[in-house]
Amino acid sequence: MGAPPGYRPSAWVHLLHQLPRADFQLRPVPSGFAPQEQEYQQALLLVVALAGLGLGLSLIFIAVYLIRFCCCRPPEPPGAKSPPPGGGCVTWSCIAALLVGCAGIGIGFYGNSETSDGVSQLSSALLHANHTLTAIDHLVLEMVERLDEAVRTELTTLEEVLTQRTELVAATRGARRQAEAVAQQLQGLAFWRGVPLSPLQVAEDVSFVEEYRWLAYVLLLLLELLVCLFTLLGLAKQSKWLVIVMTVMSLLVLVLSWGSMGLEAATAVGLSDFCSSPDTYILNLTREETGLGSDILSYYFLCNQAVSNPFQQRLTLSQRALANIHSQLQGLEREAVPQFPSAQKPLLSLEETLNVTEGNFHQLVALLHCRGLHKDYGAALRGLCEDALEGLLFLLLFSLLSAGALATALCSLPRAWALFPPRNPSASCSGSHLSEPFLHARLEPVPHLRSFPSCRRRPH
């Protein structure tokens, strides 16, 4: 099947589509997009389960590391004033991990924006397609109403005026039959009328879901940014309570990062399967939802030379009938007006109606061509399979960096706050509560402070 203009599956689509899939019994599952099949659903859930497994292993590793740190430390010799060697490396490794997490947050904001742009492009394409389908229905309804009105009023009046001339009455009735035939043919061109599937409703549902998805990711990114910044502040100020609170928050964000990673990975895999060959699935789904024939759907979704316009015959017959009506009215104007001046007014009204109908008919022919709707279809695929998929991959990278950075920070923070020096009770007088530099590998001895009248040094 031919791909829409401007859309070609990207390298990422091919790469993700080639990844092996398996169900819960680890049996291979075909990579064709089939969300209604249980085996395919299990394959995507297994991708989410892999992220859950990664979370479990991370928590086990962190717990084992912290237990070993808390319970298996060698006893310090009495009178030791300096921390164990390597304390500075632990602190700087924690700082480096948090900075990597901040870089991942920037990637996450970019990925969230790209995903939102792709979904917005999808919604815009659906809205434009809905506008085209609505315009087709409106033009058909307007032309049918105009022709019916002309048959009921002007042509009936014309027949009454031309009663004395049998051949003119026959010509008028021929025009009436032609107008009725055109109206009947036109009614079959409003193919989307009465279809339960509305592109407008789909676009609104997609925009609604995307709005909350975007907001959820923004809150997650801001939460992790605050955790990283306040943890760095706690290390800089050597504030144990702040670092402890941020440690608990880091554990929460770690769980959220692994959870979002599983959802992003499963969505990216499923989207790659869909984008590798979207035509078949879209055709089958639209046929089930709308009940339209395969010839109509294939014409608009594929739009190639192999598929002919299913409305071509109706359009041709309508155009010929309109041309015949036009020639008959011109003949009546030449023959009837000189003998029946009262026939001029309905004839002029019929000419005006016919001109408006022909203009609308040419516009309808342009709208019924597959180019417009097929262009919307291609724009929707590009938004979903290029921008949205790229944004998902950046969000997946953010989740990986976030999970790694927070796991490293959770292992380093307890060792870092253990190196914080005890607070001096007289710090409030000496001004030592102001911001202090980051931890050094070894703590320098506190120099002798000069005594002040308002703050005397207490004996140890």
Side-chain angles (χ1 to χ4, degrees):
M1 292 184 179
Y7 170 73
R8 293 292 183 275
S10 64
W12 285 112
V13 170
H14 288 298
L15 179 61
L16 293 172
H17 185 61
Q18 297 301 322
L19 293 177
R21 290 148 179 75
D23 58 10
F24 291 161
Q25 287 77 33
L26 300 182
R27 294 174 299 189
V29 174
S31 56
F33 187 67
Q36 70 281 359
E37 296 182 4
Q38 185 178 2
E39 292 78 8
Y40 189 81
Q41 297 173 3
Q42 291 181 359
L44 295 183
L45 289 176
L46 190 61
V47 176
V48 180
L50 291 177
L53 179 62
L55 172 62
L57 293 177
S58 298
L59 295 178
I60 292 173
F61 174 79
I62 293 171
V64 170
Y65 182 87
L66 294 181
I67 290 173
R68 182 177 178 274
F69 169 72
C70 296
C71 302
C72 303
R73 285 188 299 176
E76 296 182 2
K81 296 183 179 180
S82 61
C89 294
V90 171
T91 303
W92 284 108
S93 65
C94 181
I95 294 171
L98 293 174
L99 293 178
V100 170
C102 291
I105 293 171
I107 295 174
F109 274 110
Y110 175 77
N112 197 35
S113 176
E114 281 292 299
T115 304
S116 181
D117 290 343
V119 177
S120 298
Q121 188 174 349
L122 169 63
S123 299
S124 298
L126 289 171
L127 291 175
H128 192 270
N130 183 78
H131 175 73
T132 301
L133 296 172
T134 305
I136 292 173
D137 292 344
H138 177 72
L139 284 175
V140 170
L141 180 61
E142 181 181 356
M143 286 190 291
V144 170
E145 288 181 349
R146 283 181 177 273
L147 291 174
D148 290 341
E149 181 69 20
V151 168
R152 291 194 306 267
T153 57
E154 286 86 0
L155 286 174
T156 301
T157 303
L158 197 59
E159 286 185 20
E160 295 174 353
V161 172
L162 303 177
T163 306
Q164 299 177 3
R165 294 284 301 272
T166 307
E167 69 277 10
L168 297 181
V169 172
T172 304
R173 290 177 179 175
R176 174 194 291 270
R177 288 193 297 269
Q178 294 286 345
E180 292 174 348
V182 171
Q184 185 177 1
Q185 294 292 337
L186 290 175
Q187 287 178 353
L189 298 178
F191 66 95
W192 204 265
R193 184 182 301 170
V195 172
L197 179 63
S198 171
L200 175 62
Q201 185 61 44
V202 175
E204 291 177 351
D205 293 341
V206 169
S207 300
F208 177 80
V209 174
E210 170 59 20
E211 181 179 358
Y212 283 96
R213 186 212 62 82
W214 179 85
L215 180 60
Y217 266 99
V218 167
L219 293 178
L220 175 61
L221 291 165
L222 291 178
L223 177 62
E224 182 170 351
L225 180 62
L226 291 176
V227 168
C228 291
L229 293 180
F230 277 102
T231 304
L232 291 173
L233 179 64
L235 292 174
K237 303 286 288 184
Q238 297 185 359
S239 173
K240 283 191 175 183
W241 71 268
L242 183 57
V243 172
I244 291 173
V245 171
M246 289 302 106
T247 301
V248 177
M249 294 299 298
S250 298
L251 182 61
L252 172 63
V253 178
L254 176 67
V255 175
L256 295 177
S257 297
W258 277 105
S260 65
M261 188 189 307
L263 294 176
E264 293 151 7
T267 305
V269 170
L271 195 56
S272 68
D273 294 338
F274 167 78
C275 295
S276 62
S277 181
D279 296 336
T280 303
Y281 179 77
I282 290 293
L283 278 172
N284 294 333
L285 179 63
T286 309
R287 185 185 302 113
E288 294 175 0
E289 295 292 333
T290 62
L292 295 175
S294 300
D295 54 343
I296 297 177
L297 297 178
S298 299
Y299 175 69
Y300 287 108
F301 282 119
L302 304 183
C303 195
N304 54 34
Q305 299 296 329
V307 182
S308 60
N309 189 341
F311 305 112
Q312 187 60 49
Q313 184 177 3
R314 288 181 178 273
L315 293 173
T316 302
L317 293 176
S318 299
Q319 188 174 14
R320 290 176 181 175
L322 289 174
N324 291 335
I325 296 174
H326 195 74
S327 62
Q328 288 173 351
L329 291 180
Q330 288 179 344
L332 287 172
E333 188 175 1
R334 289 192 304 267
E335 297 291 334
V337 172
Q339 299 181 20
F340 304 96
S342 59
Q344 184 174 8
K345 184 177 180 181
L347 282 173
L348 291 177
S349 179
L350 284 172
E351 288 284 352
E352 181 182 357
T353 300
L354 187 62
N355 291 333
V356 174
T357 302
E358 287 180 341
N360 290 339
F361 180 79
H362 292 304
Q363 186 179 357
L364 178 64
V365 171
L367 290 175
L368 283 173
H369 197 276
C370 64
R371 286 190 301 265
L373 290 174
H374 189 64
K375 183 178 179 181
D376 296 332
Y377 175 53
L381 286 182
R382 287 192 298 274
L384 191 62
C385 300
E386 293 179 5
D387 293 343
L389 182 60
E390 180 184 352
L392 276 176
L393 294 176
F394 276 104
L395 288 175
L396 184 61
L397 178 60
F398 148 73
S399 298
L400 286 171
L401 292 176
S402 173
L406 292 173
T408 303
L410 285 170
C411 292
S412 304
L413 284 175
R415 296 190 63 183
W417 81 55
L419 301 175
F420 290 172
R423 290 292 182 180
N424 191 351
S426 61
S428 60
C429 297
S430 62
S432 61
H433 64 284
L434 299 175
S435 59
E436 304 175 20
F438 290 115
L439 293 175
H440 300 284
R442 299 178 59 87
L443 299 176
E444 298 293 337
V446 180
H448 180 72
L449 297 178
R450 182 176 157 187
S451 299
F452 291 92
S454 60
C455 185
R456 296 187 178 277
R457 185 166 181 167
R458 299 179 181 178
H460 295 286

